[in-house]
Amino acid sequence: MRKLLFLIFILYYSLAAYATTTAKPNQVDFGIYPVAIYNLDPLDNSYNISFYAWWRTTDGNYHPESAIEIVNARDYTYKFGGHGLNKDGKYYTFVHYYAKISHPWDIKYFPFGRHHLQVRMEGFNDINSVRFQPDYADSALHPEIKIAGWDIIG
C-alpha cells in the first residue's frame, strides 16, 4: 500500500509540474509614461526619472507592483496608483515610480553626443508563466518634459 501511495504522489506532482510548464504563459501588456527627467549628473553617472508604468492582463491574480524590479536603478520608490477591470475584460494595474538610474555618460562628443536613457525593468516571475508585450500604442513621453540645453527624442 505504501508503494502505491508513493507512486500516486510522484505521479500527481509530476503531472502538476508538467501542467505548469506546458500551460500557456500569462500575456501581460506593459506600458510606460515618463513625466519628468531631472538631475542629469555625468560626474555621478546617473539621472533621476519619474514615470508611470501600467500592466494589463486577463489574469486577475497578477500583481506586478510586488513582482517588478528596476534593475539599473541605484534606488527607487513607487506609489501604488490603482488597479481594476477594463471594459474589455482585462485587469489593469498602474504605479508611479521615482528612480535614480545608473547611466554611463559618454561625453566624448560633447556637446553633440547622443544618450539613450534606459529604465530596465524585470519581473520576478518565471518566463514560462508571464510574458510581457510592450504597449507601444499608449506609451509616450509627457509632452512637457523639457531639459535645458537638450533635445529630447522620444
Side-chain angles (χ1 to χ4, degrees):
M1 184 65 168
R2 282 187 180 168
K3 288 181 183 177
L4 179 60
L5 288 176
F6 182 68
L7 287 176
I8 291 172
F9 182 74
I10 289 174
L11 181 61
Y12 172 77
Y13 281 101
S14 297
L15 288 176
Y18 176 77
T20 58
T21 58
T22 59
K24 188 176 178 182
N26 176 21
Q27 185 73 31
V28 178
D29 298 328
F30 169 74
I32 187 170
Y33 187 76
V35 293
I37 301 170
Y38 53 99
N39 292 343
L40 285 76
D41 191 344
L43 295 176
D44 188 42
N45 285 316
S46 67
Y47 68 92
N48 289 58
I49 185 167
S50 168
F51 65 94
Y52 287 93
W54 63 88
W55 299 263
R56 287 189 300 261
T57 180
T58 56
D59 181 1
N61 294 317
Y62 179 66
H63 299 287
E65 69 278 8
S66 61
I68 298 291
E69 176 184 20
I70 303 174
V71 295
N72 64 331
R74 292 183 187 174
D75 187 31
Y76 69 92
T77 59
Y78 67 89
K79 293 181 182 177
F80 179 67
H83 57 83
L85 182 62
N86 284 332
K87 292 178 185 177
D88 65 358
K90 286 191 175 183
Y91 295 91
Y92 67 87
T93 301
F94 68 95
V95 175
H96 191 172
Y97 285 96
Y98 304 88
K100 182 173 188 172
I101 304 292
S102 291
H103 177 74
W105 295 96
D106 182 1
I107 55 173
K108 180 177 173 181
Y109 299 106
F110 179 81
F112 303 108
R114 290 180 173 239
H115 296 276
H116 300 276
L117 304 181
Q118 298 180 358
V119 175
R120 285 186 252 143
M121 302 177 83
E122 290 182 359
F124 295 130
N125 303 87
D126 182 348
I127 192 168
N128 294 316
S129 63
V130 175
R131 294 276 170 92
F132 294 100
Q133 178 67 35
D135 182 359
Y136 294 118
D138 294 325
S139 295
L141 289 171
H142 190 286
E144 294 180 11
I145 289 182
K146 306 262 190 274
I147 303 172
W150 293 77
D151 293 327
I152 298 176
I153 304 167

